[in-house]
Amino acid sequence: MAITHPTSYNSIFLFLATFNFFFFFEYSSATYINVINYGANPNGQFDSTMSFLRAWSSACKSKEPSTIYVPQGIFLLKQVTFWGPCMNKIDFRIDGTLIAPLDYWSLGNSGYWILFMKVNRISIYGGTLDGKGPSYWRCRRGRRNCPVEARSISFSWSNNVMVNGLTSLNSQTVHIAIDHCNNVVIQDVKIRAPSGSPNTDGINVQFSTGVTISHSTIMTGDDCISISQGSTNVWIERIACGPGHGISIGSLGTNVKEVGVENVTVTDSVFTKTENGVRIKSWAQPSNGYARDIVFRNLIMHNVYNPIIIDQRYCPGRQCPHQSSGVKISKVSYEHIRGSSASPASINLDCSESNPCLGIKFEDINLTYLKGSAKSSCRNAAGNTIGVVIPRGCL
Ligand SMILES: *[C@@H]1O[C@H](CO)[C@@H](O)[C@H](O)[C@H]1NC(C)=O
Ligand SMILES: *[C@@H]1O[C@H](CO)[C@@H](O)[C@H](O)[C@H]1NC(C)=O
C-alpha cells in the first residue's frame, strides 16, 4: 500500500545534504570531542552529567564547528541543560544509550530531562534515550506525591535544529518537545512507550515555525504528534502512528488569549489501531485562538476509532467548562483518506456553536466500519465535498 508523493525528494535531498556535512567534518579541522575524554563512563552506573556538560562547554566555545561523540555504552544522565548561544554549529553523534536515573526524584522538578536552550545550529544523529518512565507512571497512577513529569529531550528558544535517527523509549511524558524554535527537522526517529502510559506524547510542537517531521515510527500512550498553540508552517510526512491517540492539533483554547495554529500539513502517513486518526481539539470556553490552513492528505487508517475528528468540546477530565469554544477553525482539507474505522463514527466534526468550522473540504475518502455501516456527523460545519466520500459527507 505504498503511497508515492513528490515531496519525498525533499527528504532525499536532506539526507544527501546531511551525508556531505559529515564528510566535510571528518576531513576538516572541526573540533572532535569524545565524552569519554571528559570523564563520561559507559557502565550505566556512573553519573556522566558533569562530563557531558564539560564536553558541551568546550564545543560551545569552539570557533570551529564541533562534533561531540558519544560512543557505544550506557551513560547515566541526570537533568542536563545544554545552554547556547554557542560560537559555531554543534553535532552530537551518539552511538550509545543515554539513561535517566531510576529514582525519578533525582531529575528534579524542572519538567525536563535533556534540554537544549537558546542554541543555534544543533544536530543530533543517532542515539537511544531511555527516560525510565515506568516507575514514574506508577507514582502518578498511585496519586502519590510525584515530581513534575520530565520530557525526555527538549529544544527551547533554539533555531536550526535537526534530530536524525534518534530512538526514544519510555519518556515520563512528552518524548521530544519543540518550544519557541525556528527551522526544525526531525527525521527517522523511533519513539516507543506502552499504549496505556499516561501523557507520553511522541513529539509536541508549540510556539514554533518551520517544523518538518518525517519518516518516523511512533508508538505511545498519547498523541503520536501534538501541534499546540503558536505553531506555523508544520510539515508532517510518512509517519507510522500507533498505538497512540493519533496526530492532534491542540488542545487549543486553553487560554483566553492564545496564538493559533496555521499552515499544517499531514501527508502520506499510516495510523494503526489508534484512538484517533487526525484530530483538531479545543476546550469549550472563550478564546481568540484559531486553526487554519490545515491539510490532511494521503492517509491510511487501520482500525482507527475516530479516523477524522474535530472536537471543540474537548474535556478529558472531570471539570468541563461547558461553554462554546472561541477557537475558530477554517480551511481544513481532508483528501485521499481510506481504510477502516473501529467505530461507526468515522467522520465526526463537532464544531463550536459560536464559531462554526468554515471551509472544510472532503475529497476522495473511503472509511469503512468493519461491523456495520460507517456514519459521518457534522455539527456547525460548512464546506464542500469533492468526488466519492464514504460514508457520505455531512457538510
Ligand atoms: C506552509 O508551510 C510550508 C512548510 O510546511 C512552507 O513551505 C510554505 O511556504 C508555507 N506556506 C505559507 C503560505 O507560508
Ligand atoms: C471502499 O473501501 C472498501 C473496503 O476496502 C472497498 O470494498 C470499496 O470498493 C471501496 N469503495 C470505493 C468506491 O472505492
Side-chain angles (χ1 to χ4, degrees):
M1 296 241 253
I3 335 176
T4 55
H5 195 272
T7 50
S8 58
Y9 286 115
N10 288 342
S11 347
I12 291 167
F13 174 74
L14 260 170
F15 173 71
L16 290 174
T18 321
F19 216 66
N20 287 333
F21 206 51
F22 273 153
F23 280 88
F24 173 71
F25 278 117
E26 304 283 19
Y27 295 112
S28 76
S29 61
T31 310
Y32 192 83
I33 293 168
N34 186 329
V35 292
I36 299 286
N37 299 335
Y38 286 73
N41 188 317
N43 70 3
Q45 312 283 325
F46 177 85
D47 177 2
S48 292
T49 314
M50 290 312 294
S51 314
F52 273 63
L53 280 172
R54 284 194 296 268
W56 175 261
S57 169
S58 294
C60 194
K61 280 190 292 219
S62 164
K63 293 203 176 77
E64 314 292 327
S66 39
T67 297
I68 298 174
Y69 179 60
V70 181
Q72 283 188 358
I74 300 175
F75 296 86
L76 173 64
L77 293 183
K78 292 189 174 164
Q79 200 286 316
V80 57
T81 302
F82 299 111
W83 278 93
C86 297
M87 300 288 286
N88 207 320
K89 60 178 120 178
I90 300 179
D91 286 3
F92 252 101
R93 289 184 63 187
I94 309 175
D95 284 339
T97 298
L98 313 183
I99 62 168
L102 260 180
D103 171 15
Y104 43 79
W105 283 105
S106 62
L107 276 187
N109 257 316
S110 70
Y112 297 101
W113 175 29
I114 299 168
L115 170 61
F116 290 86
M117 186 72 173
K118 299 192 176 175
V119 183
N120 185 19
R121 291 183 293 170
I122 174 74
S123 302
I124 316 279
Y125 295 98
T128 298
L129 306 181
D130 183 346
K132 300 288 176 196
S135 60
Y136 181 83
W137 305 328
R138 273 196 295 280
C139 180
R140 264 288 137 97
R141 287 204 186 94
R143 296 182 187 277
R144 276 179 279 156
N145 177 25
C146 314
V148 174
E149 51 197 18
R151 305 159 183 85
S152 277
I153 187 166
S154 305
F155 299 87
S156 292
W157 302 93
S158 293
N159 298 326
N160 306 312
V161 173
M162 148 101 74
V163 178
N164 188 324
L166 179 76
T167 299
S168 179
L169 309 172
N170 296 333
S171 175
Q172 287 181 4
T173 177
V174 176
H175 285 76
I176 301 178
I178 306 295
D179 179 28
H180 287 97
C181 292
N182 285 310
N183 191 19
V184 177
V185 175
I186 298 176
Q187 58 189 22
D188 290 306
V189 301
K190 291 190 183 69
I191 294 175
R192 193 147 46 86
S195 61
S197 56
N199 302 322
T200 49
D201 281 9
I203 301 172
N204 174 256
V205 178
Q206 62 174 2
F207 297 111
S208 295
T209 193
V211 179
T212 302
I213 303 169
S214 68
H215 297 85
S216 295
T217 304
I218 306 177
M219 310 163 88
T220 69
D222 207 311
D223 293 335
C224 289
I225 299 174
S226 55
I227 306 296
S228 314
Q229 55 176 316
S231 302
T232 55
N233 302 355
V234 177
W235 189 271
I236 297 171
E237 181 178 345
R238 291 187 183 251
I239 304 298
C241 167
H245 294 182
I247 294 182
S248 292
I249 294 178
S251 314
L252 304 177
T254 315
N255 307 303
V256 176
K257 284 194 75 175
E258 188 172 281
V259 201
V261 170
E262 191 163 0
N263 188 15
V264 176
T265 300
V266 178
T267 184
D268 296 18
S269 294
V270 179
F271 300 76
T272 306
K273 295 186 176 168
T274 47
E275 190 181 283
N276 307 289
V278 286
R279 170 168 63 161
I280 303 176
K281 54 178 171 172
S282 76
W283 292 87
Q285 60 192 17
S287 171
N288 69 344
Y290 55 85
R292 59 192 180 221
D293 295 308
I294 315 288
V295 178
F296 299 114
R297 185 192 293 134
N298 298 350
L299 306 176
I300 297 174
M301 307 283 168
H302 294 302
N303 232 342
V304 170
Y305 212 80
N306 301 298
I308 292 177
I309 178 166
I310 294 180
D311 180 4
Q312 291 211 262
R313 287 186 291 182
Y314 178 69
C315 183
R318 287 193 193 151
Q319 285 161 348
C320 301
H322 293 304
Q323 296 173 62
S324 171
S325 176
V327 173
K328 294 163 207 51
I329 297 177
S330 60
K331 290 202 264 172
V332 183
S333 296
Y334 299 91
E335 304 164 11
H336 317 298
I337 300 178
R338 62 194 161 94
S340 57
S341 177
S343 83
S346 57
I347 297 179
N348 187 2
L349 310 188
D350 185 2
C351 297
S352 164
E353 279 162 36
S354 55
N355 294 284
C357 297
L358 300 177
I360 305 290
K361 180 173 121 185
F362 287 129
E363 180 174 1
D364 181 24
I365 294 175
N366 187 1
L367 292 166
T368 51
Y369 173 47
L370 301 173
K371 295 187 200 125
S373 55
K375 292 188 188 67
S376 67
S377 148
C378 301
R379 291 178 79 235
N380 309 312
N384 62 322
T385 300
I386 300 172
V388 177
V389 172
I390 303 169
R392 183 147 12 115
C394 48
L395 291 169

